[in-house]
Amino acid sequence: MESGTTQRFTSIIGFSSHEIYISATNGNNEGLIMRYDGTSWKEIAHGYYPAAADSTKLISALGSVGGESGDSLYAVGPLIYKRQGSRWIRP
């Protein structure tokens, strides 16, 4: 199964065979979170540290992803974000 990224995976969490999340980094304060839906991978978050000019991006290099479900997902790096629907907020 190909993820489509050349970044190094830093964590993985799965809730079912069609709901798997990974965090990855390129080692230069940039990271991403991808979701596997049982068919393909899709990027759902991209993080930079320090902040990128695009305010829709997470302001953090992403070192880990975790939670109790896809609806209760956290992205952790220098900052912590919680997923709410398709948005990421600072708890």
Side-chain angles (χ1 to χ4, degrees), residues 1 23 48:
M1 165 184 354
S23 63
Y48 302 89

Side-chain angles (χ1 to χ4, degrees), residues 24-57:
T25 182
N26 67 3
N28 292 318
N29 291 325
E30 182 177 348
L32 59 83
I33 296 177
M34 297 181 79
R35 179 181 186 267
Y36 183 70
D37 63 7
T39 304
S40 62
W41 291 95
K42 178 182 177 188
E43 183 178 316
I44 62 168
H46 204 110
Y48 302 89
Y49 190 82
D54 182 349
S55 63
T56 64
K57 308 293 185 189

Side-chain angles (χ1 to χ4, degrees), residues 3 17 24 27 35 46 53 55 59 62 74:
S3 68
S17 61
R35 179 181 186 267
H46 204 110
S55 63
I59 305 171
L62 306 171
Y74 289 84

Side-chain angles (χ1 to χ4, degrees), residues 11 13 15 64-69 72-76:
S11 69
I13 189 167
F15 305 108
S64 185
V65 63
E68 297 177 358
S69 70
S72 178
L73 199 63
Y74 289 84
V76 180

